[in-house]
Amino acid sequence: MKKTKVGIVGCGMISDTYFKASQKFRMIEVVACSDIIPERAQAKTELYGVPNMSNDELFAMPEIEIVLNLTPPQVHSKIAMDTLNAGKNAYSEKPFGVDADDAAKVIALGQSKGLRVGCAPDTFLGGGQQTARKILDDGWIGKPLSGTAIVMGRGPEKWPQAPFFYDYGAGPMLDLGPYYMTALVNLLGPAKSVTAVTTRGSDFRTIGDKVAEQYQDMVQPFGQYPVTVTTHLTGVVEFQCGAVITVIASFDVYKHGHRPIEIYGSEGSMQVPDPNTFGGPVTVCRKGDKEWHDVPLTHTYTDNSRSIGAADMAIALRNNRPHRVNGSLANHVLDIMLSFDKSSKAGCKVELSTTCERPKPLPLGLEVGELDD
Ligand SMILES: NC(=O)c1ccc[n+]([C@@H]2O[C@H](COP(=O)([O-])OP(=O)(O)OC[C@H]3O[C@@H](n4cnc5c(N)ncnc54)[C@H](O)[C@@H]3O)[C@@H](O)[C@H]2O)c1
C-alpha cells in the first residue's frame, strides 16, 4: 500500500509516542520533523532516522500530505493555519486551540481550501471506548439518561514543566478535558449546553527539584509559581440526546474514589474506561443484576495507538470519506470546555454555538495497523 507522507512539527515530550506508534499503521509514514528549537528535532533524527529541518522547509515538501502539529496549545491554531496555507491537511494535538475565534478560523480555512482538519484525542478509537460505544449502540443499558465524567488529582505540580499546566491554555479542563469530552461526544453525540461553577484552590503552587529551562528565570527548585487558570471545574453538560452528565475536572484533589466515566441508562449502567488510554475495562450492570460485570473488549487497538486519528485521515483522504477525528468534533469539544468558565463567570447556563456529527464507530475485526476503507 502506498503510504501517505506525514511531517511532524514540534519534537517535544509527546512526539516520541507518535514517532513510535505511527510505525504500526501501514497507511502513513513520517518523513520529516521540525522544532523551533532545532536540537530537539535533531535528537529525533538520531533516534528515528527521520530527517529534520525548519518548519518552512517541512511545509515546502510537496510529498507531505498531513502535518502532525505537536506544539504547545498556545500555538496550535497558528501552526494549523500555516499548514493549511501550505496546502496540507492539518492534524493537531489537543486541545484544538485555546481561543474559540482562532479555532473557528482554522475550521473556516480548512473548508475554504478543501483540506482536512483533525485533532487529538484519538483515544476514543481505542478498544475500550469502542466497546463502550458498541454496548450503548446495541441498547444494553437502554436510553442514556445521565452519568458522570470525573478527572481529579493534584495535577503535575512538581514536574519541571509544571508552570505550563497552571497557566493560560492548560489547567485540568484544557489539558485533560479533551479526553473526557471527546469520549462523551463519541458515546452520546453532540452537547447542547453547559452549566458550571469553576474555582481554584490556591493562587500559587510549589515546583519540585527540577525546573525546565524555559521556566528557570521565573522559578527556582522548590520555589512557587503562579496559578492563572481555574483548577477546579464542576458542571453539568446537557447532550442533544437528552442525557445530562455531571463533570468534575480538578487539579485540587489529593485522592478520590470515582470511576472516570459512568453512564446511567433506562435499562442499566455502564462504567467506561479512562479515556486517556486505549484499553478497558468496560463494566455493565443491567436491570436485575446485583453486581457489575466485565465485558470482553470487542475492538482492536487496546494499547497506545496515538496517531490512529491521522492514519484514519490518510485512508479517508484516499477514499474520499469523512475522517473520524475531525475538526468539527474537536471544535465542539473546545466549545464545551471553554463554556465551563464562561458559565461560571456569567452565573448562568451557556447554550453551545457549535455542534458536530457523532463519529462513525470502527468496525469489528480490524487487524492492528489496519482501518476501514
Ligand atoms: N506530554 C504528554 O504526555 C502529552 C500527552 C498527550 C498530549 N500532549 C499534548 O501534546 C502537545 C505537546 O506537548 P508536549 O508535552 O510534547 O510539549 P513539549 O513542550 O515537550 O513539546 C512541544 C515542542 O514544540 C516545540 N515548538 C513550540 N513552538 C513551536 C513552533 N512554532 N514551531 C515548531 N515547534 C515548536 C517546542 O520547542 C517543543 O519542543 C500539547 O498540546 C499537549 O497537550 C502531551
Side-chain angles (χ1 to χ4, degrees), residues 8-18 34-38 40-41 44 54-55 59 69-76 78-79 82 92-96 120 159 161 164-165 169-170 174-176 178-179 214-215 276 306:
I8 287 185
V9 174
C11 293
M13 201 190 296
I14 198 62
S15 69
D16 289 293
T17 304
Y18 280 84
S34 67
D35 196 289
I36 204 164
I37 303 171
R40 294 198 176 169
K44 302 308 166 193
S54 69
N55 287 1
F59 289 136
N69 171 9
L70 310 183
T71 61
Q74 292 82 353
V75 282
H76 282 176
K78 182 194 178 298
I79 298 290
D82 290 349
S92 171
E93 244 306 333
K94 53 81 189 164
F96 187 49
W159 285 23
Q161 307 87 343
F164 159 84
F165 291 95
L174 285 189
D175 187 49
L176 295 169
Y179 299 105
Q214 67 266 39
Y215 298 111
N276 194 358
R306 283 169 206 254

Side-chain angles (χ1 to χ4, degrees), residues 21-299:
S22 63
Q23 290 172 13
K24 79 169 108 177
F25 293 102
R26 54 185 83 150
M27 62 294 274
I28 52 172
E29 179 184 8
V30 179
V31 296
C33 64
S34 67
D35 196 289
I36 204 164
I37 303 171
E39 302 81 60
R40 294 198 176 169
Q42 173 62 33
K44 302 308 166 193
T45 301
E46 285 158 23
L47 274 174
Y48 305 107
V50 172
N52 70 90
M53 55 198 69
S54 69
N55 287 1
D56 286 345
E57 285 167 333
L58 187 149
F59 289 136
M61 278 177 71
E63 61 269 43
I64 290 181
E65 284 187 61
I66 298 176
V67 171
L68 289 185
N69 171 9
L70 310 183
T71 61
Q74 292 82 353
V75 282
H76 282 176
S77 296
K78 182 194 178 298
I79 298 290
M81 298 293 272
D82 290 349
T83 300
L84 295 168
N85 280 322
K88 303 189 185 308
N89 303 285
Y91 185 96
S92 171
E93 244 306 333
K94 53 81 189 164
F96 187 49
V98 296
D99 175 277
D101 292 341
D102 287 349
K105 284 181 196 149
V106 174
I107 298 283
L109 187 62
Q111 278 165 355
S112 75
K113 290 193 171 282
L115 291 164
R116 306 288 182 117
V117 171
C119 178
D122 52 9
T123 42
F124 74 91
L125 297 182
Q129 297 298 321
Q130 288 292 310
T131 300
R133 166 78 182 259
K134 183 163 170 48
I135 281 172
L136 258 185
D137 289 355
D138 290 353
W140 281 38
I141 64 163
K143 179 178 161 48
L145 301 171
S146 61
T148 55
I150 295 179
V151 53
M152 302 193 292
R154 287 293 295 174
E157 63 182 348
K158 305 265 178 241
W159 285 23
Q161 307 87 343
F164 159 84
F165 291 95
Y166 297 83
D167 201 359
Y168 179 64
M173 186 52 89
L174 285 189
D175 187 49
L176 295 169
Y179 299 105
Y180 288 74
M181 298 308 125
T182 308
L184 289 175
V185 174
N186 174 52
L187 292 171
L188 303 170
K192 199 172 152 207
S193 74
V194 172
T195 312
V197 176
T198 69
T199 180
R200 65 169 170 251
S202 62
D203 293 334
F204 291 92
R205 291 285 175 111
T206 305
I207 205 163
D209 59 345
K210 292 197 179 70
V211 182
E213 207 179 323
Q214 67 266 39
Y215 298 111
Q216 283 174 2
D217 288 344
M218 172 186 155
V219 59
Q220 296 304 307
F222 304 111
Q224 287 200 318
Y225 58 90
V227 177
T228 68
V229 290
T230 58
T231 49
H232 188 94
L233 303 94
T234 180
V236 173
V237 181
E238 177 190 18
F239 284 80
Q240 290 178 21
C241 70
V244 282
I245 307 294
T246 303
V247 175
I248 312 177
S250 184
F251 281 170
D252 289 331
V253 172
Y254 284 99
K255 193 154 182 70
H256 70 89
H258 299 277
R259 296 294 288 254
I261 297 177
E262 295 194 343
I263 306 289
Y264 313 124
S266 57
E267 307 296 319
S269 300
M270 172 169 67
Q271 294 177 319
V272 178
D274 180 349
N276 194 358
T277 66
F278 281 78
V282 178
T283 60
V284 166
C285 183
R286 300 174 75 192
K287 194 161 66 179
D289 290 347
K290 288 215 162 41
E291 305 293 337
W292 294 102
H293 301 287
D294 267 350
V295 179
L297 299 189
T298 51
H299 282 70

